[in-house]
Amino acid sequence: MDDDSKQVNGQSEKLDAIRDIIFGEELKLFQNHLNQLKKKLDALSKRVDAVNENVEKIEKSISDDRDSSVKVNKETQATIDRLKKELDDQLKTITDTKVSKSEIGQVFIEWGMKVKQETK
């Protein structure tokens, strides 16, 4: 069996040598082309990773901006509600303390009668 094994190894080496002679240059070109494709694929993969990182940063920024905008909108609405309540309160105060024209007229009539009596 050892002789058979040596014979098979010898034939295999001969076949490898023949293959190198026939296909050697093409195999090297193919291997070089394959290596270039692997390098390009690695570079593209790195660029895709960088783009994904940027997209994640942009998404986070948009989310933060949206949260900030919601907060500002809530604060603005609270300010509007507070001002509206203050305006309503002031309007109620004005309405409650408003003196009617007939009351003013009555006061002037009474004042006029007092002045008339004092001048007599």
Side-chain angles (χ1 to χ4, degrees):
M1 252 193 169
D2 284 331
D3 289 337
D4 288 338
S5 174
K6 288 180 183 176
Q7 218 175 17
V8 168
N9 283 342
Q11 288 177 349
S12 176
E13 289 175 5
K14 288 179 184 177
L15 283 174
D16 288 342
I18 292 171
R19 189 177 318 132
D20 284 344
I21 291 170
I22 295 173
F23 299 109
E25 192 61 34
E26 284 184 36
L27 190 59
K28 287 179 186 177
L29 290 172
F30 179 75
Q31 192 69 15
N32 285 338
H33 186 66
L34 186 60
N35 287 337
Q36 289 174 354
L37 289 174
K38 285 181 181 179
K39 287 179 184 178
K40 287 181 180 180
L41 181 61
D42 288 342
L44 285 173
S45 178
K46 287 178 183 177
R47 289 177 68 189
V48 166
D49 290 343
V51 167
N52 284 338
E53 276 184 37
N54 287 336
V55 166
E56 288 174 7
K57 287 177 185 177
I58 290 169
E59 286 175 342
K60 184 178 181 330
S61 176
I62 289 171
S63 176
D64 291 347
D65 289 347
R66 187 177 304 129
D67 292 344
S68 177
S69 178
V70 167
K71 182 181 176 185
V72 167
N73 285 342
K74 286 180 181 178
E75 290 172 356
T76 302
Q77 187 61 45
T79 301
I80 289 171
D81 291 343
R82 182 181 52 80
L83 291 173
K84 187 175 180 182
K85 184 179 180 326
E86 285 179 20
L87 184 61
D88 287 343
D89 290 345
Q90 288 177 359
L91 193 60
K92 186 175 185 304
T93 302
I94 290 171
T95 303
D96 290 346
T97 58
K98 181 175 104 175
V99 179
S100 71
K101 292 179 185 176
S102 62
E103 289 176 352
I104 293 175
Q106 187 63 36
V107 168
F108 278 125
I109 290 172
E110 290 173 8
W111 180 68
M113 292 177 100
K114 279 184 183 180
V115 170
K116 186 176 178 183
Q117 286 177 359
E118 289 178 6
T119 56
K120 283 188 179 181

